Amino acid sequence: MNGIIEGQTIFVVAAYVVTWLTLGGYAASLLIRGNKRPPEDS
Amino acid sequence: MKSFKWENAVGVFALLLFAVAQYMALFTAPAERHMSEVVRILFVHVPAAWIALVTFTLAFIGATGFLITGRRGLDWFVEASTEVGVVMTTLLITLGSLFAKPTWNVWWVWEPRLTSTATMLLSFVGILVLRSTVRDADRRAVFSAAATILSFVNVPIVYFSVRWWVTVHQIQSSPATVDPDMVFVLRANAFAFLFIAIWMIAKRWRIAKMRGLAETAPPLPPEVTA
């Protein structure tokens, strides 16, 4: 134990993948919902 | 011809800035002496935290404005900024967990900063649930404005929790104590997240407006619907 964190790059990869998927997924949902007509009450 | 929407220009700019900022965060920012490569998680975790607090503050301003003026556009703004804030806070907590495991050796701990952030997320999710369950537009707007103002009380608690109590979570850093190369990359990512959030709120506002106008529109005459 030397107090230095080593060999944990999997967490970095996971963090960036999660960021891209979250922001990309939500952005896509906004574009899809923005192009939909609102449901009409019957 | 489709009309020009200002947020599309913001969106393109945000995407370009985000791409450059993410490249810098992953490849050009220096590793940290003790945390090594894991420090790169902070270039997304910290901007997500800042922007989450900003979006909930915007929701609070919108809610207060709605209760004062009764303008429907402000109610749609509350809906938009609350939803974007919930997305940012969910991302913030997930990234925090991914940073906590290699640095604290736990995914989660019930300490003041994490607990107040989780409470903040749950309270704003509650506002979205409230909005989806109240059918009357006027009552929904008033209820959610009141709930937003109440939930906002937690926002300064989240920010100051690391100063008010003894916590595992570190206190806010300042540019004076951080490598200038890291400060620049952090700021680039923070601005990228900010412009992304502006684009998201604008898009979500238009969706809320479209639904709001459809909700209050008079029914079509029978000869049209037949």
Side-chain angles (χ1 to χ4, degrees), chain A residues 2-6 8-9 11-12 14-16 18-20 22-24 26-31 33-41, chain B residues 18 22 25-26 34 36-38 40-41 43-44 83-84 87-88 91 94-95 98 101-103 107 135 193 199-200 204 207 210-211 214:
Chain A
N2 57 7
I4 296 173
I5 299 165
E6 291 171 331
Q8 304 280 13
T9 47
F11 290 98
V12 180
Y16 281 79
V18 164
T19 301
W20 299 335
T22 304
L23 296 180
Y26 183 63
S29 92
L30 288 175
L31 292 172
R33 286 187 285 169
N35 288 328
K36 256 188 201 166
R37 287 173 62 84
E40 287 172 22
D41 285 340
Chain B
F18 184 69
Q22 293 282 283
L26 282 170
H34 298 291
S36 305
E37 299 297 326
V38 173
R40 298 187 194 286
I41 297 175
F43 296 127
V44 280
E83 190 177 285
V84 174
V87 171
M88 289 292 176
L91 178 62
T94 309
L95 294 174
L98 285 167
K101 182 60 181 166
T103 54
W107 293 102
R135 286 185 68 84
F193 270 68
W199 177 82
M200 285 175 168
R204 188 60 185 81
I207 294 167
M210 183 173 66
R211 288 177 181 169

Side-chain angles (χ1 to χ4, degrees), chain B residues 6-211:
Chain B
W6 64 267
E7 72 265 23
N8 291 339
V10 173
V12 171
F13 176 71
L15 194 61
L16 292 173
L17 181 59
F18 184 69
V20 174
Q22 293 282 283
Y23 177 82
M24 288 192 298
L26 282 170
F27 302 111
T28 70
E32 204 265 347
R33 187 181 305 167
H34 298 291
M35 290 185 276
S36 305
E37 299 297 326
V38 173
V39 75
R40 298 187 194 286
I41 297 175
L42 294 182
F43 296 127
V44 280
H45 173 65
V46 176
W50 286 344
I51 302 310
L53 296 182
V54 167
T55 49
F56 288 146
T57 304
L58 291 175
F60 167 75
I61 293 168
T64 309
F66 173 78
L67 289 181
I68 293 169
T69 65
R71 289 181 61 177
R72 189 64 64 191
L74 289 171
D75 176 51
W76 301 331
F77 183 71
V78 171
E79 181 176 314
S81 25
T82 299
E83 190 177 285
V84 174
V86 163
V87 171
M88 289 292 176
T89 309
T90 306
L91 178 62
L92 152 70
I93 289 177
T94 309
L95 294 174
S97 234
L98 285 167
F99 184 71
K101 182 60 181 166
T103 54
W104 301 348
N105 203 29
V106 287
W107 293 102
W108 182 266
V109 56
W110 291 103
E111 58 88 73
R113 169 55 76 82
L114 275 65
T115 306
S116 56
T117 305
T119 310
M120 179 178 75
L121 174 62
L122 286 177
S123 64
F124 279 96
V125 167
I127 292 165
L128 294 178
V129 173
L130 173 76
R131 293 190 68 90
S132 68
T133 52
V134 181
R135 286 185 68 84
D136 181 77
D138 293 332
R139 283 158 59 93
R140 181 174 59 225
V142 173
F143 288 172
S144 74
T148 301
I149 291 168
L150 200 63
S151 296
F152 179 75
V153 171
N154 210 8
V155 171
I157 293 175
V158 168
Y159 184 79
F160 289 109
S161 58
V162 288
R163 294 176 186 270
W164 289 343
W165 296 289
V166 177
T167 65
V168 180
H169 195 285
Q170 73 164 81
I171 202 163
Q172 290 94 348
S173 299
S174 84
T177 60
V178 179
D179 186 304
D181 288 342
M182 288 181 179
V183 173
F184 180 74
V185 175
L186 186 60
R187 284 184 178 160
N189 276 282
F191 276 107
F193 270 68
L194 177 65
F195 283 107
I196 287 171
I198 291 170
W199 177 82
M200 285 175 168
I201 291 172
K203 280 283 174 196
R204 188 60 185 81
W205 184 86
R206 289 195 193 280
I207 294 167
K209 179 185 177 185
M210 183 173 66
R211 288 177 181 169

